[in-house]
């Protein structure tokens, strides 16, 4: 399937400016502010989405965490509450939908100990986001995640046998910056009658997944606009909505956990998404 890469949106000058603003905010206590205002108890949103799917093998709970953006505003221990909430919900499967870092691969080290605490019986799966290709050390990021029990799906799928059927977790490379998204290769494990759950950092994959009748696409990338104000909505990536039907496929877009540019969110809280799949 031919999927056109989305154009890269940020020039080097813009990225340098963003990084400078982040460092200034960080020096003024931006990280502690962000953790308290958006990631702590009573602030972090736990969003539940229910998917009722005909003949699905069994009830399934998937926890989705996205857009960490380790760096100026997210460091060691800042994900503690989010990870405790996920643990308390006992999901069957955990999906991490990319943007682990903000500017540099080594930023990942700031969240690895927290991510290592994630556990789920069917596995913890990840895809990379556009930021994760910065510095082109994505293999190192994948290796670090693997050492913590997180399997990154790079144009590949995993077929999970459930009582009464199979679920394929399909993960694709990023649509903007990977330069090699191959949805067909990712779906190589799929057999007739399987259900497909697609992890794609960029939500634009949903229309392609709908053609293949995948049950759902879990995405991130938009931060729910992060600053949901009329004049600022167009500053970030286009946001299609939090839950969007595409015929047989439901796109679920996480507003993510971290922030870029400013340690601030408005009308778009940081969140953990819980997808409850129910057979009907
Ligand atoms: Fe992001
Ligand atoms: Fe992104």
């Amino acid at each position: 399937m031919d999927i056109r890469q989305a154009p890269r949106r940020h020039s080097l000058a813009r990225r340098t400016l963003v990084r400078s603003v982040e460092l200034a905010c960080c020096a003024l206590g931006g990280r502690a502010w962000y953790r308290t205002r958006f990631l702590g108890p009573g602030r972090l949103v736990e969003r539940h989405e229910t998917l009722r799917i005909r003949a699905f093998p069994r009830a399934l709970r998937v926890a989705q965490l996205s857009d960490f953006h380790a760096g100026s505003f997210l460091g060691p221990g800042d994900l503690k509450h989010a990870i405790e909430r996920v643990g308390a919900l006992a999901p069957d499967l955990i999906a991490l939908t990319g943007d682990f870092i903000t500017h540099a691969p080594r930023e990942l080290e700031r969240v690895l100990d927290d991510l290592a605490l994630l556990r789920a019986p069917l596995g913890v799966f990840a895809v990379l986001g556009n930021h994760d290709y910065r510095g082109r050390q994505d293999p190192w990021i994948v290796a670090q995640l693997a050492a913590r029990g997180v399997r990154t799906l790079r144009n590949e799928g995993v077929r999970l046998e459930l009582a009464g059927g199979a679920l394929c977790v399909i993960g694709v490379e990023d649509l903007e910056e990977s330069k090699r998204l191959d949805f067909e290769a990712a779906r190589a494990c799929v057999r007739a009658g399987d259900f497909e759950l697609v992890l794609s950092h960029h939500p634009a994959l949903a229309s392609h997944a709908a053609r293949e009748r995948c049950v759902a696409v879990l995405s991130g990338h938009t931060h729910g606009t992060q600053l949901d104000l009329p004049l600022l909505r167009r500053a970030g990536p286009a946001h299609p909505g939090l839950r969007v039907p595409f015929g047989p496929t439901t796109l679920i877009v996480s507003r993510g956990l971290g922030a870029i540019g400013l340690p601030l969110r408005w009308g778009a809280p940081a969140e953990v998404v819980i997808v409850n799949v129910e057979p009907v």
Side-chain angles (χ1 to χ4, degrees):
M1 182 186 295
D2 181 27
I3 298 176
R4 281 185 58 192
Q5 291 274 303
R8 191 174 173 168
R9 291 174 302 109
H10 295 160
S11 65
L12 182 61
R14 177 170 166 168
R15 282 153 59 177
T16 303
L17 175 66
V18 168
R19 196 168 193 169
S20 303
V21 171
E22 286 178 358
L23 289 172
C25 291
C26 191
L28 295 169
R31 179 186 155 200
W33 156 269
Y34 189 81
R35 182 180 60 230
T36 306
R37 299 285 298 187
F38 300 101
L39 297 175
R43 301 287 183 161
L44 180 75
V45 166
E46 191 178 295
R47 173 158 66 102
H48 286 256
E49 297 285 353
T50 300
L51 298 178
R52 292 187 175 86
I53 299 169
R54 198 159 67 86
F56 197 78
R58 49 162 269 204
L60 192 79
R61 176 173 286 173
V62 180
Q64 182 196 7
L65 296 87
S66 196
D67 294 80
F68 304 92
H69 290 291
S72 299
F73 309 139
L74 198 82
D78 294 347
L79 293 170
K80 182 173 181 285
H81 177 61
I83 284 166
E84 283 175 356
R85 287 304 310 145
V86 170
L89 290 159
D92 300 293
L93 188 150
I94 297 175
L96 312 178
T97 45
D99 277 358
F100 291 92
I101 64 167
T102 309
H103 301 289
R106 290 283 163 182
E107 291 169 332
L108 181 71
E109 291 170 342
R110 297 169 65 79
V111 291
L112 282 172
D113 287 347
D114 289 333
L115 295 178
L117 300 173
L118 292 168
R119 289 284 180 272
L122 294 178
V124 183
F125 299 99
V127 287
L128 299 182
N130 52 313
H131 283 254
D132 300 322
Y133 301 87
R134 305 268 160 97
R136 292 286 158 186
Q137 289 186 43
D138 36 297
W140 179 81
I141 290 177
V142 170
Q144 294 301 313
L145 292 173
R148 274 81 179 175
V150 179
R151 179 169 175 182
T152 305
L153 300 174
R154 311 196 72 177
N155 294 330
E156 62 179 322
V158 173
R159 191 170 185 273
L160 303 170
E161 295 276 3
L162 307 175
L167 172 70
C168 294
V169 183
I170 309 292
V172 293
E173 296 281 285
D174 180 62
L175 196 67
E176 278 188 12
E177 299 210 22
S178 73
K179 297 186 174 71
R180 58 182 196 93
L181 193 160
D182 191 338
F183 191 34
E184 214 165 273
R187 299 183 62 249
C189 67
V190 178
R191 299 181 202 167
D194 287 353
F195 294 88
E196 296 178 59
L197 172 68
V198 180
L199 312 185
S200 169
H201 179 68
H202 202 298
L205 191 81
S207 56
H208 301 282
R211 264 179 246 142
E212 305 298 337
R213 307 192 70 77
C214 302
V215 293
V217 177
L218 306 187
S219 291
H221 186 52
T222 70
H223 301 194
T225 67
Q226 190 171 318
L227 297 171
D228 192 16
L229 296 165
L231 288 175
L232 294 173
R233 271 177 204 139
R234 294 179 64 187
H239 178 54
L242 300 179
R243 177 180 175 134
V244 189
F246 280 81
T249 303
T250 303
L251 168 66
I252 291 175
V253 183
S254 168
R255 289 175 286 201
L257 287 156
I260 53 175
L262 296 169
L264 193 61
R265 285 171 170 266
W266 187 266
E271 68 180 1
V272 168
V273 181
I274 308 297
V275 182
N276 296 295
V277 186
E278 297 178 359
V280 289

